[in-house]
Amino acid sequence: MHKFKDKVVVVTGGASGIGAATVDAFWLEGARVAALDIKERAEKAPDGVRSYPCDVADETSVEATFDRVVSEIGNIDVVVHSAAVLGGSGPFHQLNLDTWNRYINTNLSGSFLVSRAAASRMVAQGTKGRIILVGSVNSVASERGAAPYASSKGGIRMLTRSAAVDLAPYGITVNMILPGPITTPATRKNFEQLETRRIFERVLPGGLPGLPTDIAAAALFLASPESRFVTGTDLLVDGGMFAQILN
């Protein structure tokens, strides 16, 4: 196995949930992994995974962290950006600018800063790399009370396309994963509620939410040589939610 042996992979949001599962998945495939997060990982990371504190909404933090990764681990081959502010924010007419900016700054501007940091170094080092952004089904459809979140994720969808077009001449692909409901430490409490379980039984053909490893597996594909001709697109990993017409 070890498809990514000696490859350097950067994962943001790597301390928990989808990010932690992605860190583990690439490590198991032989990659040298840098796990970036604003907080520490609760459980011990695999030996050989390096953890770096990083605030993806802060340009100085992102640039300095990417410089450290290159200096300490090596030239970057793959970036998986999963760090995000999650959750609803309340009715649209009651939103304030601070709330709006919190989602936009971390989710959308953070995606730009991480993607640019990765792309600039890949171009400079001549690497035909992979940039993978983790969005949401809310990139293409909104829920009530989630306007800043959905808007930030929708913006990432167009950022993916724009970056893919500009970076294609350098052999760098840029793609986006759109997860449906995924059980993580941040969502588990809500997902265990009876009302939420009943909603899943209705909107998910299989009736159950996905796991972080489902998203990590999609990232492995988009980072692989087999995805060479896949760029500027979305990969829905939603358990068939968008395929179903509700009666």
Side-chain angles (χ1 to χ4, degrees), residues 188-219:
R188 182 172 290 110
K189 185 176 180 180
N190 177 47
F191 284 9
E192 289 174 349
Q193 295 180 7
L194 178 60
E195 180 182 357
T196 305
R197 295 204 308 270
R198 286 176 174 169
I199 291 172
F200 288 159
E201 289 172 0
R202 174 169 166 75
V203 303
L204 292 169
L208 296 172
L211 299 173
T213 50
D214 296 319
I215 309 306

Side-chain angles (χ1 to χ4, degrees), residues 93-157:
H93 63 286
Q94 296 176 357
L95 288 173
N96 59 55
L97 186 58
D98 287 341
T99 299
W100 172 268
N101 285 337
R102 184 165 67 92
Y103 287 86
I104 298 299
N105 290 345
T106 298
N107 296 356
L108 181 53
S109 295
S111 295
F112 161 69
L113 291 172
V114 168
S115 299
R116 186 189 64 179
S120 62
R121 287 159 178 81
M122 289 174 180
V123 170
Q125 68 202 27
T127 298
K128 295 181 179 181
R130 303 283 190 267
I131 298 172
I132 302 160
L133 305 177
V134 178
S136 166
V137 290
N138 288 132
S139 301
V140 294
S142 187
E143 301 173 63
R144 290 181 181 177
Y149 178 76
S151 298
S152 69
K153 292 295 187 176
I156 297 170
R157 194 169 183 233

